Amino acid sequence: MQEIAAKAGVSLATVSRTIHSPHLVRAETREHIRQVMSEYHYVYNVTASDFSRRKSSVIGVIIPTTKGAIFSNSTQIIQEKAQERGFSLIVGNTGYEGDVESTLLRQFQERRLAGIILTGFAIGQESAVKEVVESGTPCVVIWETLQDSRLSFAGFNNFTAAYSMTEYLVGLNHRRIGLILGPYTKVRRARRRLEGYQAALRDNGLKFDPRMIIEKQPTLGEGKEGMERLLSMGKPPTAVFAASDMLAIGALTAAREMGFRVPEDVSVAGFDDIDFAAFSNPPLTTVRVPAREMGEIAVEMVMAMIEGNSTGVRQVVLETELVIRDSCRRL
């Protein structure tokens, strides 16, 4: 490192800051130092540095699935913002399984990671998450709002978001509304979406029919299967709310293959507003969630905890938005 400082004509401290805290170094200086490092094939030994400083420069991120694009936006911004601060990521995928989540939390703690960002957590894992927080490991939850005053989060109200979309479909005069959603028996945010759907039906004087509920993994194939089941009913729904855009796009394929026109014969709505939603056929009406904002705020929270600048638990509730496109129509 001393040689790089000499070649770059800067102090050793400036080189160190470029590696550990690049956001504190002017952009042109930072780029100059990195060019010199590249020219001399200098590879910094992060592991050795972490050991000597007794401080990790790795943040752990736990997501439920790597299938599809559901969590890509929030994970991408987490990586970008962490790298700006000289931190890297290690990502674990739970597959919506609580035991896998517990294992990942334990492994992340054993590796003394600098912090952990959880994309929600499985039902029954509340005590495990609290243990992480109580151990002193900086921890933030995204994609959910929580009632526990000891847990920091940056999320949105899944109940309200699902309620709004269901009420929108009711407002289009739909009375038989199917729901395809993720594993609500395992994941709290999926359960809250189910509860929002049920409440919207009840508040508008509509009867809840459990046969209209299809629980699926949020993939294109499972969305297609769920839609096939709904449209094969003796009296199929006139609208289907797929509480994930991946499920919704799969549902569009099923409707087309079964000879149903969207939205003429059946309306389809999604949830997430992933990039594909605007380019589906027809373009998908959906719920836009603040994915990038959640990731950005989560990194800010974790970094404040790591650097000792946190003033305590922070809980940020962000807004969702109905995005009206062409996949739904008024009866």
Side-chain angles (χ1 to χ4, degrees):
M1 190 183 295
Q2 289 178 334
E3 183 179 354
I4 295 299
K7 297 290 184 183
V10 299
S11 68
L12 181 61
T14 302
V15 176
S16 178
R17 278 195 296 272
T18 298
I19 294 170
H20 297 296
S21 304
H23 63 290
L24 299 178
V25 182
R26 288 192 308 167
E28 54 268 34
T29 303
R30 187 171 64 236
E31 289 308 311
H32 172 60
I33 292 171
R34 287 174 175 170
Q35 287 177 4
V36 173
M37 292 171 66
S38 176
E39 180 181 349
Y40 288 90
H41 307 289
Y42 177 78
V43 179
Y44 182 66
N45 191 333
V46 176
T47 302
S49 175
D50 285 353
F51 181 78
S52 64
R53 294 185 302 138
R54 297 183 181 181
K55 184 177 181 181
S56 173
S57 59
V58 180
I59 294 174
V61 178
I62 297 180
I63 60 176
T65 180
T66 56
K67 297 179 180 179
I70 303 171
F71 303 110
S72 61
N73 285 338
S74 54
T75 304
Q76 179 179 341
I77 193 66
I78 288 170
Q79 177 175 308
E80 291 173 4
K81 293 301 179 180
Q83 287 181 333
E84 288 177 5
R85 307 293 288 270
F87 283 72
S88 57
L89 298 190
I90 180 171
V91 180
N93 167 30
T94 70
Y96 294 98
E97 296 297 335
D99 57 344
V100 177
E101 191 167 77
S102 295
T103 298
L104 287 170
L105 282 171
R106 186 185 70 252
Q107 291 174 338
F108 283 4
Q109 284 187 283
E110 290 172 349
R111 285 164 174 74
R112 300 294 191 269
L113 297 191
I116 298 174
I117 296 175
L118 281 156
T119 309
F121 49 84
I123 293 172
Q125 292 298 305
E126 291 83 356
S127 60
V129 176
K130 291 175 186 175
E131 287 177 8
V132 172
V133 174
E134 291 168 359
S135 73
T137 301
C139 183
V140 175
V141 178
I142 58 176
W143 282 80
E144 292 190 15
T145 57
L146 307 171
Q147 293 183 341
D148 195 310
S149 60
R150 292 168 291 180
L151 300 180
S152 294
F153 67 77
F156 61 91
N157 192 317
N158 285 272
F159 177 96
T160 302
Y163 186 104
S164 297
M165 180 57 80
T166 307
E167 191 166 58
Y168 169 72
L169 294 173
V170 173
L172 295 179
N173 293 327
H174 293 282
R175 296 297 177 263
R176 289 180 59 78
I177 302 171
L179 177 66
I180 311 173
L181 77 165
Y184 64 87
T185 55
K186 297 180 179 180
V187 180
R188 181 179 177 274
R189 66 179 168 278
R191 179 176 292 180
R192 292 293 285 161
R193 293 177 194 180
L194 171 60
E195 293 168 350
Y197 161 87
Q198 292 173 313
L201 294 182
R202 181 179 62 250
D203 291 349
N204 286 277
L206 300 179
K207 185 178 180 180
F208 169 66
D209 183 352
R211 295 174 301 173
M212 289 284 191
I213 308 301
I214 307 293
E215 181 178 14
K216 287 289 185 180
Q217 293 285 334
T219 66
L220 296 173
E222 298 235 334
K224 183 173 181 289
E225 292 176 7
M227 189 64 151
E228 288 170 347
R229 284 175 54 186
L230 288 173
L231 295 183
S232 296
M233 297 175 65
K235 190 177 180 182
T238 61
V240 174
F241 174 22
S244 159
D245 283 347
M246 296 297 288
L247 291 170
I249 294 171
L252 291 175
T253 299
R256 184 167 54 249
E257 291 183 357
M258 295 176 71
F260 287 81
R261 299 167 302 165
V262 178
E264 291 82 1
D265 300 321
V266 59
S267 292
V268 177
F271 196 110
D272 293 323
D273 197 28
I274 63 174
D275 292 341
F276 298 125
F279 297 93
S280 62
N281 185 22
L284 187 65
T285 291
T286 187
V287 177
R288 177 175 294 158
V289 302
R292 289 183 63 85
E293 291 89 340
M294 286 186 287
E296 185 170 358
I297 293 171
V299 173
E300 292 175 1
M301 289 181 176
V302 167
M303 294 307 304
M305 296 176 192
I306 293 171
E307 296 169 355
N309 298 325
S310 174
T311 57
V313 174
R314 283 187 62 195
Q315 298 183 333
V316 178
V317 181
L318 300 168
E319 296 297 321
T320 58
E321 176 188 356
L322 290 187
V323 179
I324 310 303
R325 297 194 179 103
D326 300 333
S327 62
C328 298
R329 78 171 184 95
R330 181 179 298 276
L331 286 183

